[in-house]
Amino acid sequence: EIVMTQSPATLSASPGEKVTLACRASQSVSTNLAWYQQKPGQAPRLLIYGVSTRATGIPARFSGSGSGTAFTLTISSLQSEDVAVYYCQQYDNWPPWMFGQGTKVEIK
Amino acid sequence: QLQESGSQLVKPSQSLSLTCAVSGFSVTSGGYCWSWIRQAPGKGLEWIGYIYDSDSSYYNPSLMSRVTISVDRSKNQFSLKLSSVTAADTAVYYCARGVMGPTYYYYMDVWGKGTTVIVSS
């Protein structure tokens, strides 16, 4: 199975700051990589699929990049409503679909 | 829209049964799969399995011997059954729709709100 590793575990930044979350796969997942946002007490929500395509209704401040085994999610200007845990997930090689362990984003 | 329902308190060694009611689209539509994911308290997301074409399924190898996912076309819903549960199966269970993307692989674009299942005697 493919292991997904996210870093950092927790990230604290000021409003308006640019933040970058990392996700690494133990082997290539091609472009079959998604990012999800989970706010406290809520279900996950799809942010990005295919490494860099924003899902419907997702603000342009969210962007994804990378290829093969190394990927990043960038929030260009952190807003208070972005406080959440962010998960990457590979859907290239299954079973199983694997998620990263998550990065918690906090506001300073 | 997806809405989970079913067992909320299950005794150890018994089976857990959940249903996901689908509205706004059909479980028989091509290009979609129907998935279950769970999240233990304070933990990350764990994929359980998915079904597509109403009768083809993939399961997480760690759960495969205990899991069955099925589709009820007449009710436009799909279900999860997990047998021989233990306290480790206590979690929020989510159903989700997978959509086939441009690479012909599925990713999950619509999620239910989740339902909490507690395994306890």
Side-chain angles (χ1 to χ4, degrees):
Chain A
E1 70 182 37
I2 297 178
V3 177
M4 308 299 291
T5 304
Q6 292 185 240
S7 61
T10 303
L11 185 158
S12 183
S14 301
E17 193 173 338
K18 177 181 177 180
V19 300
T20 301
L21 287 64
C23 173
R24 183 170 295 275
S26 59
Q27 65 188 70
S28 177
V29 298
S30 185
T31 58
N32 296 309
L33 189 285
W35 290 92
Y36 299 89
Q37 176 193 63
Q38 186 176 34
K39 294 183 178 181
Q42 295 186 18
R45 175 177 73 148
L46 176 67
L47 289 179
I48 301 279
Y49 64 92
V51 175
S52 60
T53 304
R54 280 189 303 276
T56 303
I58 301 303
R61 64 179 181 274
F62 291 94
S63 63
S65 63
S67 65
T69 62
F71 305 91
T72 58
L73 174 69
T74 300
I75 308 174
S76 61
S77 177
L78 187 66
Q79 306 297 307
S80 57
E81 61 264 33
D82 300 334
V83 169
V85 178
Y86 293 82
Y87 294 95
C88 62
Q89 182 236 334
Q90 70 84 15
Y91 53 96
D92 185 76
N93 186 287
W94 75 98
W97 280 340
M98 292 298 292
F99 294 89
Q101 78 277 24
T103 291
K104 185 176 183 180
V105 174
E106 301 174 334
I107 295 284
K108 275 184 184 175
Chain B
Q1 301 278 359
L2 303 176
Q3 179 65 59
E4 303 91 346
S5 63
S7 316
Q8 294 183 315
L9 179 62
V10 185
K11 289 182 168 44
S13 80
Q14 294 188 344
S15 293
L16 167 169
S17 294
L18 298 175
T19 295
C20 183
V22 178
S23 58
F25 32 85
S26 171
V27 293
T28 60
S29 297
Y32 297 105
C33 70
W34 308 96
S35 188
W36 288 96
I37 304 95
R38 70 181 183 178
Q39 186 170 36
K43 302 296 185 182
L45 300 167
E46 179 181 30
W47 175 71
I48 298 171
Y50 73 68
I51 189 167
Y52 66 102
D53 290 344
S54 295
D55 59 3
S56 299
S57 56
Y58 287 102
Y59 300 130
N60 191 320
S62 67
L63 299 169
M64 192 182 331
S65 62
R66 301 192 290 130
V67 174
T68 303
I69 297 175
S70 59
V71 165
D72 186 332
R73 299 180 185 187
S74 66
K75 295 182 178 179
N76 205 39
Q77 63 186 31
F78 62 105
S79 299
L80 168 71
K81 182 175 181 179
L82 182 66
S83 63
S84 305
V85 299
T86 69
D89 296 310
T90 293
V92 176
Y93 285 75
Y94 297 100
C95 60
R97 184 183 79 169
V99 61
M100 187 175 287
T103 60
Y104 300 100
Y105 287 69
Y106 296 111
Y107 59 90
M108 294 173 285
D109 67 334
V110 179
W111 293 61
K113 293 184 178 182
T115 188
T116 299
V117 177
I118 297 173
V119 178
S120 175
S121 55

